[in-house]
Amino acid sequence: MRILLVDDNSTNLKLLTKLVGKLDNCEALPFASPDAVLSALPELDFDIAIIDYQMPVYNGVELYTEIVRFDKYAEVPVIFVTADKDMTTRMAALNAGAIDFLTKPVNPVEFQARVQNIVSLARARRQLADQAEWLRREVERAVGELREREQEIIHRLTLAAGYKDPETARHTLRVASYSEAIAIELGLSQQLCHDIRLAAPMHDIGKVAMPDTVLLKQGRLTEAEYRQMQAHAEIGSDILGRSHSSLLQLASEIAASHHERWDGQGYPNRLVGTAIPISGRIVCIADNFDALTTERPYKPAWSFERTVEHILGRAGTQFDPDCVAAFERALPRIQAIMEQDRREQAEEAEKTVVSANERVA
C-alpha cells in the first residue's frame, strides 16, 4: 500500500515517513512541497494521501483539488494534517473530499489507529475493484461465447437454406456485406452494423417452406406462384422470432420487413416509411441490388451502372431516401465486394474444371 505524504516541514515529514514505515505492507512516498507532487503527476501511483493543510503556494485543499483533476486519483482516500481547529478549515477539507483529519502535533498512537483503518478501507476497495474487473471480464467472455454460438447457428441455418441452390447461399452473403456497407454509411453504431451483417443472410430463410416447383422454377412465376412465394417473409419471421437471442430477433425483423416499400406498397404488412424497421429498409436495397446484378433463370444480369441508376431513381417510392443516399456513398465498397465475389466464383469454377479433368485422366 503506497501512501503519499506531503508536508513542507522536514521534521514533520520525517516523522510521518517513520510512522508509515511501522504499518504492515505500507510504503511512504514523501514530498516536501506541493510543486514537487504536481510535477510527478500523473505517473505517480499511490493508494492513500496524507497532506498537510497549511503550506506555501498551495494549501492542502488546493493541492488535492489539483490532484483529483486526474481521474486515476478520484477515489483515493485523503487525510489532512492541520493544527487549525477552526470549523471553516475542516469544512473546506471535507468539501474537497477529506476522509479524516490528524491534528498537529501528530500523536503516533492516534496516527497508527486512524491510518490503519483507512489502509484497511483502501485494501477493501481495491479487492472490490479487482472483483468487479474480474466479473466484467467473465461477463464479456460469456457474452462473447454466446455471440459465437449465435453466429454459428445463423451460419448453419444459412447453409441449410441454400442447400438446394448454391447460388442462394452466395446471394445471402453478398446481401449481408452490402447491407453492412450501407449501414456504416448511414452512421449506425459499429455494433448494429456488425449485427446487421450477421443477421442479413437469414432474410430469405422462409423459402425453406416453399415447394420446389416454385422455388426452383426456371422462368417467371405465375401470379398465384408469386403470391405463394410472398409468404416466405412471414414464415421466415416466425421461424426466427421465437428465439430469445437478440441476433435472431434482428434476423426475424429483417425477414419480415425486407420486402416492405417506403410508399407502403410492399408486403407482407404494407408498412409505410419509418414504420419499416431500419434493418429491413437497408436489406431491401441490398437485396434488390444483388438480385438485379446477378443472372436469374428469367433475366440476364443488369450492369452495375444500370442497377445503381434504378435504385437511385426509386428513392422515396420503393426505398427510404436516406438509405438510398447511404447506398450511393457506399458504392465504392459495394462494387469492391461484388468484384471480389465474382473473382472467387471464377476461381471455384476453375478448380472444379481442374478436378474433373484429373478424375478423367
Side-chain angles (χ1 to χ4, degrees):
M1 189 68 61
R2 295 161 65 86
I3 301 179
L4 173 69
L5 303 174
V6 189
D7 197 318
D8 63 311
N9 184 295
S10 60
T11 302
N12 289 338
L13 188 59
K14 289 178 182 177
L15 173 61
L16 294 175
T17 303
K18 183 177 180 180
L19 292 174
V20 167
K22 294 181 179 180
L23 298 172
D24 291 338
N25 299 315
C26 289
E27 176 188 357
L29 301 176
F31 283 81
S33 72
D35 287 340
V37 175
L38 295 175
S39 297
L41 302 180
E43 287 75 22
L44 187 61
D45 289 320
F46 56 91
D47 304 288
I48 298 170
I50 300 177
I51 303 174
D52 184 30
Y53 180 82
Q54 196 62 48
M55 293 184 292
V57 185
Y58 290 93
N59 67 35
V61 170
E62 291 168 341
L63 172 60
Y64 186 66
T65 300
E66 292 299 315
I67 289 174
V68 295
R69 291 183 187 276
F70 297 95
D71 291 341
K72 67 181 290 186
Y73 306 122
E75 300 299 324
V76 171
V78 58
I79 303 169
F80 284 107
V81 182
T82 179
D84 192 346
K85 298 182 180 180
D86 181 64
M87 185 55 67
T88 303
T89 299
R90 298 200 169 220
M91 286 304 299
L94 288 170
N95 290 335
I99 194 170
D100 205 350
F101 298 93
L102 287 170
T103 303
K104 288 185 176 180
V106 174
N107 181 294
V109 176
E110 180 186 15
F111 180 96
Q112 181 87 16
R114 288 181 181 274
V115 178
Q116 185 61 59
N117 286 339
I118 294 171
V119 166
S120 299
L121 174 63
R123 283 178 178 151
R125 282 183 173 178
R126 179 185 289 177
Q127 289 174 352
L128 286 174
D130 290 344
Q131 290 174 358
E133 177 61 21
W134 175 84
L135 182 60
R136 184 191 64 79
R137 290 197 302 267
E138 286 297 300
V139 169
E140 284 186 353
R141 183 184 62 79
V143 169
E145 289 179 354
L146 179 60
R147 180 52 60 97
E148 287 178 3
R149 293 192 190 101
E150 291 176 340
Q151 292 178 25
E152 183 178 4
I153 289 170
I154 286 180
H155 176 64
R156 296 298 173 185
L157 287 173
T158 301
L159 290 177
Y163 190 78
K164 294 179 182 178
D165 181 7
E167 174 52 31
T168 296
R170 298 200 71 94
H171 161 73
T172 61
L173 295 177
R174 288 192 302 267
V175 168
S177 296
Y178 298 153
S179 296
E180 182 184 39
I182 296 169
I184 290 170
E185 291 299 332
L186 202 57
L188 302 185
S189 70
Q190 183 179 359
Q191 184 64 57
L192 182 53
C193 292
H194 181 64
D195 286 353
I196 286 174
R197 177 174 185 146
L198 293 175
M202 304 295 294
H203 67 280
D204 278 339
I205 190 66
K207 287 183 178 179
V208 298
M210 297 297 102
D212 289 353
T213 53
V214 175
L215 185 63
L216 304 178
K217 183 176 181 179
Q218 299 295 307
R220 287 190 175 276
L221 300 178
T222 65
E223 185 175 343
E225 289 169 337
Y226 181 66
R227 285 198 301 271
Q228 189 175 16
M229 181 65 81
Q230 286 181 331
H232 82 274
E234 286 187 301
I235 293 171
S237 178
D238 288 343
I239 290 172
L240 301 166
R242 300 178 188 278
S243 171
H244 293 295
S245 159
S246 60
L247 198 54
L248 290 177
Q249 287 172 3
L250 176 62
S252 173
E253 177 182 272
I254 290 171
S257 61
H258 74 285
H259 283 296
E260 299 288 355
R261 289 174 50 117
W262 185 255
D263 59 10
Q265 299 305 304
Y267 67 86
N269 297 310
R270 300 180 72 84
L271 300 178
V272 179
T274 56
I276 306 168
I278 187 64
S279 59
R281 285 178 263 157
I282 290 170
V283 175
C284 178
I285 294 176
D287 188 33
N288 274 267
F289 175 83
D290 191 71
L292 293 173
T293 53
T294 53
E295 183 178 352
R296 296 294 172 89
Y298 52 86
K299 74 163 190 68
W302 285 18
S303 70
F304 179 83
E305 294 75 17
R306 181 186 177 189
T307 305
V308 170
E309 182 180 358
H310 172 83
I311 290 176
L312 296 183
R314 295 197 170 203
T317 54
Q318 184 174 357
F319 307 120
D320 174 357
D322 289 340
C323 290
V324 171
F327 163 79
E328 188 173 17
R329 293 192 295 272
L331 284 175
R333 187 179 307 186
I334 289 172
Q335 188 169 25
I337 293 167
M338 183 173 68
E339 291 173 353
Q340 175 65 24
D341 179 76
R342 288 178 176 174
R343 284 194 297 271
E344 290 175 359
Q345 289 190 69
E347 290 172 2
E348 289 179 5
E350 184 178 350
K351 289 178 181 178
T352 300
V353 171
V354 170
S355 178
N357 290 338
E358 289 176 347
R359 286 197 300 271
V360 171

